[in-house]
Amino acid sequence: MMLLHLLLVVAFGASAGQAPPDVEQGKQLFNGMCARCHGIDGTGDEGPSLNRPTLTRAATDDALREVISDGIPDRGMPRVRRLTDNEVRQLAAYVRSLGRAAAGATSGDAAKGRATYDKLGCAACHIIGGQGGSFGPDLTQIGVNRGPSYLRQSFLGPAEALPRGTSPIPGRGFTEYLPVRIVTGDGREVRGVRVNEDPFTIQVRDSSNHFQSFRKSDTREIEKEFGKSVMPGFRGRLTDQETEDLVAFLSSLRGAQ
Amino acid sequence: MLLVLAFGVAPIAAAAQVPAPRIVAADATPTDWLTYSGNYQSHRFSALTQINRQNVSQLKPAWIYQVRRTGIVETSPIVADGVMYITEPPSTVTALDVRSGRPLWTYTPSIPTDVIVIGSPPVNRGVAILDDTVFFGTVNGHLIALDARSGAVRWDVQVDDNKFGYYVTSAPLAIDGRIIVGVSGAEAGIRGFLDAYDPKTGRRVWRTHTVPAPGEPGSDTWSGDTWKTGGGSAWLTGSYDPALNLIYWGTGNPGPDWNGDLRPGDNLYTCSLIAISPVDGKMKWHFQFTPHDIHDWDANEIPVLFDATIDGRPRKLVAMANRNAFYYVLDRETGQFLSALPYAKQTWAERIDAKGRPVRRSGTAPSVEGTLVFPNIQGASNWPSPSYSPQTRLFYQAAREMGTYFFKGEPQYKPGEPFVAGGGRAVNGDDAWGAIRALESTTGRLKWEFKLVTPPMSGVLSTAGGLVFGGTDEGNFFALDAESGKPLWDTQLGGMIRANPMAFAVDGKEYVAIAAGYGIFVFGLP
């Protein structure tokens, strides 16, 4: 709390009449600290795209500077580092310049994308607006949380980019939905996704979406299958237009209407 | 053994409850835990044997105390004569009955709402005890003495002005006639120091700055006025050799942290171990682990004192598992460098040369675009304590295996505001991990390790029962075999463990205690 207070002082201590912030310097800072999640040029990736005229969490410049200074910890955005007020102004100016230059995120048609979503049976494993299966991530506001390039990747080749730690469990950047294969002490094989883990225990949801818990010392083998996903990949199974339609549909999912 | 020792727990009618000679002889009364790290040599070792390899699997909670205000509980308890003294975040002291866990008194100083705490969460790591008085520091930069029986204030002094970012989180070190305390605040551009106070009156006896003023030895390692904001906080409790009458204290990073352009030179005495006379505060020797640090690798880790024979010669040694990922062994009489070996992954140094100076790799400096370097920004070690067992002669360290993208930013000093000029993005999750490592104390060579799934921020305790206790961010409190590292017992405490374990005994029964989440957990045999 106290730290937050201090940062606000730093962020908004800028007095009137300053020179306009250096947008190029802001771009350098952005590429170092922000592009990994928000994409080069703010096109979005694991984190939401920022090349939009209106940013959900940063409608005003004050709000944008606050988000840059403090992060949004409950949504997986860390405060990457402490910034001077000048650095915050440079970053904010660069992010705003992305919105002004914004091109359309996707050429797809969201309504057609919905039809593709239904045809592929995605709802068997994903919830939208409370409806659907719960084995995979809830997509109700996936369009807020993820950029178009990430969304495209997520169904074309999901194993290549498993989501990392935006939820508090398992937290701190751990790979979510990591496939695991466990061989129990009596030789039984359990496959599922990791839910949580510590040095002594591991919790998984098995392929029938039931929780299972293991003492590691009671197992024969625990294989964490990095580079794999339990979700099928659709690369080669969709036309380019179907792909873009699906991206448009997923991008349109922005929470309760 | 315990029965004999238990006599030491009986109430003492004498005026002085914990006189200094009793702390000097702390090893002889393991029923108590009289100073931050258990003894002045900072072994964090308990000679108690009742809980041991054979029965540790039966450990059960004896009592739990929950703090009354949320915050990270990093306290390391002190136990003296049936009373446990703990601190609660940010700066509260509470005395607990060790038999029941029931509070006996509590004291909360008035902390201004605009208190400045830059560089760590607003925490407190414990108290010191001497005679009838309990000493602790506050987040607004005060050192306060409380009556050990009632919690009443004996004296309250300002160590330095919190408006400039000076604050205290560490337990003071109480020795004969001196209360030694260091400050935090290098991330606000303070000029660090170590202070000694008269235990009876609170009068400051000496102050030794960790950053020299112009004309003082070491001042040629700074340029211009940079010494004024040079950092070098002495923010964790040091060690003491009563025979040599020397205090050993680690110092922190230079300011600003991640941009060294304004402060060319070694920046003495930051990121160093300093040996100081408690009589007058004069520095006998110093050893700098990371000259001109630009990664925030403070050298505040616990200096551990022990004696051993090296190359056929008996030596008095001090060892530190430094935040920069190297384990150093020095001669503690002279400060002479003897050896250094990495105990965790590091990518910043080619090697440590014959004088103990690192040979840096190029391309490891923080940059605007980010530079990936191991160890991470919080280091391969940090404030959580190591342990040294005189039985196994092993040095136990909770090691953090993680990298950070280090960023260089603008240096901009404003009093009482962050003066860091950069920062980092940790490479965490499945790419990071940790381990409890047992190192040969004279060399740092790995004897065994027990792997953890995240980099730990919990210290370790070793015991004469052949055990090493430790904790995890996931809330596991566990015991390993001190000889082999084999896990023997673990339990889930339901909150992050960011604290140091300790042990004590009362009524002939041994207990181990550790803070986790918002509570203090005490375990014993059924």
Side-chain angles (χ1 to χ4, degrees):
Chain A
M1 258 340 265
M2 281 169 284
L3 275 173
L4 193 101
H5 170 73
L6 286 166
L7 281 162
L8 293 180
V9 171
V10 175
F12 303 124
S15 58
Q18 285 170 321
D22 182 340
V23 176
E24 261 313 298
Q25 189 63 26
K27 181 178 182 175
Q28 272 203 12
L29 292 169
F30 185 91
N31 286 345
M33 291 187 296
C34 319
R36 179 180 163 273
C37 295
H38 291 295
I40 294 290
D41 299 331
T43 49
D45 196 289
E46 194 172 323
S49 65
L50 302 175
N51 57 347
R52 292 179 274 135
T54 308
L55 299 176
T56 319
R57 290 292 186 116
T60 65
D61 287 351
D62 278 359
L64 177 58
R65 286 195 288 266
E66 189 172 343
V67 165
I68 291 169
S69 296
D70 299 341
I72 314 174
D74 65 325
R75 299 291 285 272
M77 175 170 165
R79 181 192 71 191
V80 175
R81 68 167 174 89
R82 285 208 178 85
L83 300 159
T84 64
D85 50 359
N86 187 41
E87 289 168 333
V88 172
R89 289 171 68 243
Q90 289 170 346
L91 271 167
Y94 175 65
V95 171
R96 286 298 184 221
S97 78
L98 297 173
R100 284 191 292 275
T106 169
S107 56
D109 178 323
K112 288 183 181 162
R114 169 90 223 192
T116 304
Y117 183 89
D118 292 339
K119 188 182 79 183
L120 295 175
C122 305
C125 291
H126 295 284
I127 290 175
I128 295 174
Q131 300 299 310
S134 62
F135 190 65
D138 183 339
L139 303 180
T140 302
Q141 48 185 6
I142 200 72
V144 176
N145 297 336
R146 310 290 196 190
S149 61
Y150 183 95
L151 293 171
R152 193 176 292 115
Q153 172 76 49
S154 72
F155 62 82
L156 291 180
E160 296 149 32
L162 287 183
R164 281 166 54 100
T166 54
S167 74
I169 291 170
R172 264 170 286 141
F174 276 91
T175 304
E176 295 175 358
Y177 302 94
L178 176 68
V180 288
R181 190 182 67 84
I182 293 172
V183 181
T184 62
D186 55 6
R188 196 163 48 91
E189 186 183 83
V190 177
R191 283 179 177 272
V193 294
R194 180 179 65 181
V195 174
N196 209 345
E197 185 184 0
D198 67 34
F200 303 95
T201 70
I202 186 165
Q203 295 75 38
V204 303
R205 278 193 287 155
D206 66 20
S207 41
S208 51
N209 207 10
H210 290 124
F211 286 116
Q212 297 219 29
S213 173
F214 301 93
R215 292 273 310 167
K216 288 182 176 178
S217 56
D218 294 339
T219 64
R220 278 190 209 164
E221 204 181 336
I222 298 176
E223 188 186 353
K224 299 179 196 173
E225 301 178 307
F226 290 102
K228 290 190 184 175
S229 171
V230 294
M231 174 171 156
F234 292 92
R235 183 173 287 126
R237 296 167 61 185
L238 296 172
T239 66
D240 287 356
Q241 192 53 51
E242 284 172 323
T243 298
E244 292 315 304
D245 292 346
L246 192 50
V247 169
F249 170 62
L250 294 172
S251 296
S252 75
L253 299 173
R254 313 191 73 80
Q257 298 300 312
Chain B
M1 166 133 179
L2 262 171
L3 256 175
V4 177
L5 291 169
F7 285 108
V9 184
I12 291 169
Q17 194 182 357
V18 183
R22 213 177 131 187
I23 311 176
V24 172
D27 289 349
T29 55
T31 50
D32 290 322
W33 190 274
L34 298 176
T35 188
Y36 182 73
S37 293
N39 62 9
Y40 283 138
Q41 293 74 29
S42 296
H43 288 173
R44 198 164 285 276
F45 169 81
S46 171
L48 298 172
T49 57
Q50 194 179 70
I51 300 170
N52 55 45
R53 287 187 188 88
Q54 284 69 43
N55 59 24
V56 67
S57 63
Q58 301 163 39
L59 276 188
K60 292 281 180 296
W63 53 262
I64 295 161
Y65 172 78
Q66 299 201 30
V67 300
R68 283 146 305 147
R69 194 179 141 174
T70 58
I72 304 174
V73 185
E74 296 188 352
T75 191
S76 180
I78 294 288
V79 168
D81 305 329
V83 179
M84 174 183 284
Y85 302 91
I86 62 156
T87 53
E88 308 184 24
S91 302
T92 289
V93 181
T94 298
L96 302 170
D97 170 22
V98 293
R99 292 177 172 85
S100 64
R102 296 292 292 158
L104 303 171
W105 56 256
T106 190
Y107 173 77
T108 299
S110 161
I111 305 289
T113 52
D114 60 350
V115 64
I116 294 173
V117 180
I118 300 171
S120 74
V123 295
N124 188 288
R125 301 194 173 118
V127 305
I129 190 166
L130 184 67
D131 296 329
D132 293 316
T133 311
V134 171
F135 306 87
F136 75 108
T138 72
V139 286
N140 61 325
H142 283 234
L143 177 66
I144 300 177
L146 303 176
D147 180 86
R149 292 189 176 82
S150 69
V153 175
R154 293 286 183 190
W155 49 259
D156 176 340
V157 297
Q158 178 182 273
V159 175
D160 216 313
D161 193 345
N162 181 246
K163 286 198 167 42
F164 296 97
Y166 292 93
Y167 67 108
V168 181
T169 58
S170 61
L173 181 70
I175 65 172
D176 190 18
R178 297 281 187 273
I179 304 301
I180 319 287
V181 70
V183 283
S184 301
E187 275 67 42
I190 64 155
R191 181 184 175 210
F193 57 79
L194 197 59
D195 274 359
Y197 294 84
D198 182 321
K200 299 290 178 208
T201 64
R203 181 182 64 86
R204 196 169 90 202
V205 185
W206 50 256
R207 166 167 293 185
T208 297
H209 277 102
T210 56
V211 176
E216 293 174 354
S219 57
D220 56 338
T221 65
W222 296 87
S223 55
D225 281 342
T226 54
W227 61 277
K228 289 181 180 170
T229 52
S233 321
W235 57 259
L236 195 61
T237 311
S239 306
Y240 175 53
D241 182 334
L244 295 175
N245 203 24
L246 279 177
I247 294 164
Y248 301 89
W249 217 281
T251 66
N253 62 280
D257 302 49
W258 297 286
N259 183 341
D261 293 352
L262 292 181
R263 47 173 177 83
D266 282 358
N267 306 140
L268 290 171
Y269 301 91
T270 63
C271 296
S272 300
L273 182 65
I274 54 178
I276 282 184
S277 162
V279 178
D280 53 14
K282 289 234 160 59
M283 204 181 295
K284 182 168 183 204
W285 57 257
H286 76 275
F287 177 83
Q288 190 175 40
F289 302 92
T290 312
H292 189 72
D293 169 54
I294 44 174
H295 294 98
D296 192 20
W297 291 330
D298 306 67
N300 298 88
E301 297 74 52
I302 300 285
V304 178
L305 317 184
F306 56 93
D307 298 346
T309 299
I310 292 186
D311 295 335
R313 182 177 155 195
R315 301 196 83 141
K316 293 176 185 292
L317 304 171
V318 52
M320 181 187 281
N322 195 275
R323 190 158 154 169
N324 71 13
F326 285 88
Y327 176 85
Y328 292 81
V329 182
L330 311 176
D331 183 310
R332 74 172 181 271
E333 290 186 277
T334 62
Q336 184 196 346
F337 169 79
L338 297 176
S339 69
L341 270 186
Y343 66 92
K345 179 176 177 179
Q346 68 82 23
T347 60
W348 68 280
E350 293 289 347
R351 61 193 166 85
I352 305 295
D353 75 12
K355 292 199 163 161
R357 193 178 173 89
V359 179
R360 283 177 188 273
R361 288 201 176 119
S362 61
T364 55
S367 57
V368 174
E369 64 277 13
T371 308
L372 177 61
V373 180
F374 288 75
N376 63 93
I377 211 159
Q378 285 86 23
S381 63
N382 202 291
W383 64 266
S385 289
S387 175
Y388 169 80
S389 165
Q391 282 187 345
T392 62
R393 306 189 72 76
L394 294 172
F395 186 108
Y396 301 99
Q397 177 65 43
R400 299 162 47 79
E401 294 285 2
M402 181 157 66
T404 287
Y405 284 92
F406 286 87
F407 298 108
K408 180 181 183 176
E410 297 176 330
Q412 175 187 294
Y413 178 76
K414 285 183 188 169
E417 293 188 3
F419 182 54
V420 294
R425 188 183 76 221
V427 182
N428 57 9
D430 288 295
D431 296 324
W433 56 291
I436 306 298
R437 298 213 162 108
L439 310 175
E440 287 178 10
S441 54
T442 53
T443 63
R445 276 192 210 99
L446 183 68
K447 174 90 183 289
W448 55 254
E449 74 170 4
F450 176 75
K451 286 188 175 165
L452 307 174
V453 298
T454 47
M457 268 289 183
S458 164
V460 289
L461 162 79
S462 64
T463 76
L467 301 170
V468 174
F469 288 89
T472 72
D473 265 16
E474 293 79 46
N476 310 94
F477 183 40
F478 58 87
L480 308 176
D481 185 317
E483 294 281 1
S484 68
K486 185 174 161 245
L488 300 174
W489 171 80
D490 65 273
T491 192
Q492 174 56 243
L493 300 185
M496 278 199 307
I497 299 182
R498 300 222 148 171
N500 292 316
M502 52 81 70
F504 64 94
V506 64
D507 302 332
K509 274 192 75 174
E510 179 184 353
Y511 297 91
V512 289
I514 193 158
Y518 304 137
I520 309 288
F521 295 75
V522 176
F523 290 85
L525 294 170

